[in-house]
Amino acid sequence: MCFAKRVNKLYNFVMTKVTLLTNIPAPYREKMHELVSEYLGGAYTVVYCAEKESDRKWKVKYGNYDKLVLSKISSNAVHNNPEVIKYLNKLNPDVVVIMGFYPTMLYAYLWSLFRAKKLIVFTDGTLQSESHLSLIHKIVRRIVFLKTSAFVGPSEASAALYESYGINKNKFYRTYLSVNNKLFINGSSIDKKFDLMFSGQFIDRKMPLFFVEIARLVKKQFGKCDVLILGNGILEKDILTLLDKYNIDYSFPGFINQEELPKYYAQSKLFLFPTVNDPWGVVVNEAMASGMPVITCSNAGVANDLVINDLNGYVLPLSEMVWVDKIVEIFNDDTTYKRLSVNAISHVQKYSFDNAAKGIVDAVNSVL
């Protein structure tokens, strides 16, 4: 029985209208919104600042829930939609959930303050991902948190971020970042064409050039290294030039839409997720659901949460030879690889849409 049906037996729910504000639709959160709406009896509306951001190529299949889109496309991630006040007046929610601190979300915060409505803050951020914030940004968060009734995030690292602002952990509700695990698991037994896989934006923060260098060194030490690269971005030419220069066999199908991803993940043996700074890393969910062990670093929100060292992958310092030595060690030990692969599939199962929805629903119930 799914969470949305099960919770009706657990709570005496009084119809409460909830509005959640976020930046743009994301394919990995559509099912979560559906389940939250189902539990709330349809009294749930998601307000998007924009339909798309210019650097995102997602094709989103919308879920069955009420939604509003304030603008067609945003040229950057700093959303400023003052017209949100008009829509909040019309919706008149009892509970407002803001995902972030863009001007649009701060308008919603002020609306909830003056209308004496309950406010919930939902952020994917971590201490690492928000370490660059200015004093002004941190002051804004402290001011908003003073009037916030509950706090939501996808990881223990998010909980630690809230605690750094003095928030009681009892006010934190976890909503898991999730993918459709069942879609990916079918490929876990397929023969692997590629040794290493990278999936993400081709930007400096995602460290695709580090991945290429790892592939070069693995080939030098292991004798071969065939790689699969999914994504797009400004570093594409640099990546492909280096792969050709190093004579590394690779496949580069470009940006792949969500429904096609499982067949690509199924072809790869080991997933690498280096990053300068990442609040989570949904690509790691996809990799583990496919049975791929993952190597990442402490800069990723998935580290020591979804990726557990020596259980389903490794959390390593961003040192090329440390990564290369571990990769070669895994490739030379079938028993270890199989153990990591089985554990990857097992561990990712709790990162489900049901548990994602449960975090929001529990937060809403806590403020009523």
Side-chain angles (χ1 to χ4, degrees):
M1 185 185 297
C2 78
F3 170 74
K5 294 178 181 178
R6 185 171 68 247
V7 290
N8 280 305
K9 297 182 178 180
L10 300 177
Y11 295 93
N12 293 317
F13 178 70
V14 177
M15 185 65 73
T16 300
K17 292 191 292 183
V18 178
T19 295
L20 181 146
L21 289 93
T22 188
N23 55 351
I24 60 172
Y28 50 84
R29 279 196 162 121
E30 287 302 298
K31 186 61 178 179
M32 177 195 77
H33 291 313
E34 272 195 358
L35 293 173
V36 173
S37 179
E38 184 180 341
Y39 170 64
L40 295 176
Y44 176 71
T45 303
V46 179
V47 177
Y48 292 107
C49 297
E51 186 176 352
K52 293 182 178 180
E53 291 172 350
S54 57
D55 64 339
R56 293 288 188 185
K57 291 191 175 183
W58 288 329
K59 290 185 179 179
V60 178
K61 184 178 180 181
Y62 288 105
N64 183 24
Y65 61 93
D66 290 338
K67 60 192 75 67
L68 291 170
V69 180
L70 300 181
S71 63
K72 187 71 175 175
I73 189 167
S74 175
S75 59
N76 58 61
V78 182
H79 299 277
N80 187 358
N81 310 88
E83 66 272 22
V84 71
I85 296 295
K86 175 179 68 176
Y87 291 105
L88 286 171
N89 285 335
K90 183 177 179 180
L91 293 167
N92 193 29
D94 303 292
V95 180
V96 175
V97 184
I98 58 171
M99 291 186 66
F101 301 90
Y102 311 117
T104 303
M105 282 56 171
L106 297 181
Y107 300 144
Y109 154 71
L110 291 172
W111 184 90
S112 67
L113 187 64
F114 286 109
R115 291 295 189 98
K117 305 293 186 175
K118 297 293 186 179
L119 180 71
I120 296 173
V121 169
F122 183 165
T123 182
D124 293 343
T126 66
L127 284 167
Q128 171 69 25
S129 70
E130 297 203 353
S131 61
H132 67 286
L133 291 181
S134 69
L135 178 61
I136 294 298
H137 285 92
K138 293 179 179 179
I139 289 173
V140 167
R141 282 157 172 74
R142 288 191 182 277
I143 292 171
V144 172
F145 291 168
L146 287 173
K147 297 297 182 180
T148 301
S149 300
F151 300 81
V152 176
S155 66
E156 290 303 317
S158 297
L161 174 65
Y162 288 130
E163 286 185 70
S164 74
Y165 285 94
I167 304 304
N168 190 316
K169 197 167 185 178
N170 291 332
K171 289 188 173 183
F172 174 75
Y173 297 86
R174 181 164 182 174
T175 174
Y176 289 74
L177 273 165
S178 312
V179 299
N180 189 339
N181 294 324
K182 292 180 181 178
L183 286 181
F184 288 88
I185 196 171
N186 292 332
S188 60
S189 60
I190 294 175
D191 289 338
K192 311 302 181 184
K193 293 170 55 178
F194 302 102
D195 300 300
L196 302 179
M197 178 176 173
F198 177 94
S199 180
Q201 293 175 292
F202 296 163
I203 57 177
D204 287 329
R205 182 172 63 85
K206 298 288 187 177
M207 302 185 68
L209 299 182
F210 179 88
F211 172 88
V212 173
E213 187 62 18
I214 294 298
R216 180 185 75 83
L217 293 169
V218 168
K219 180 180 180 181
K220 182 179 179 180
Q221 190 165 323
F222 188 62
K224 78 176 196 73
C225 188
D226 299 340
V227 304
L228 173 63
I229 302 177
L230 306 184
N232 64 289
I234 60 174
L235 294 178
E236 178 180 323
K237 184 178 179 180
D238 295 335
I239 294 166
L240 300 184
T241 297
L242 285 174
L243 288 169
D244 289 331
K245 176 183 176 181
Y246 297 152
N247 198 27
I248 295 172
D249 290 331
Y250 67 90
S251 176
F252 172 55
F255 177 82
I256 303 298
N257 288 317
Q258 291 289 308
E259 61 272 15
E260 300 178 67
L261 284 174
K263 69 180 181 182
Y264 287 95
Y265 278 85
Q267 300 175 52
S268 303
K269 190 171 184 180
L270 190 63
F271 191 88
L272 304 190
F273 187 60
T275 181
V276 173
N277 179 353
D278 218 300
W280 185 252
V282 174
V283 291
V284 174
N285 294 67
E286 295 166 344
M288 288 199 167
S290 303
M292 259 194 289
V294 174
I295 297 180
T296 188
C297 59
S298 60
N299 296 341
V302 294
N304 305 310
D305 191 323
L306 179 52
V307 183
I308 305 297
N309 207 52
D310 200 36
L311 176 72
N312 51 19
Y314 294 93
V315 180
L316 302 177
L318 284 169
S319 165
E320 292 168 357
M321 287 314 302
V322 171
W323 284 50
V324 170
D325 288 345
K326 182 57 68 176
I327 291 166
V328 172
E329 178 185 318
I330 294 169
F331 286 170
N332 283 325
D333 187 344
D334 287 342
T335 300
T336 294
Y337 179 80
K338 289 175 182 177
R339 173 177 63 81
L340 296 171
S341 178
V342 169
N343 289 341
I345 294 172
S346 175
H347 187 64
V348 79
Q349 297 310 308
K350 71 178 181 180
Y351 297 79
S352 66
F353 294 127
D354 276 357
N355 284 335
K358 184 178 185 298
I360 295 177
V361 171
D362 285 349
V364 170
N365 276 279
S366 76
V367 305
L368 299 181

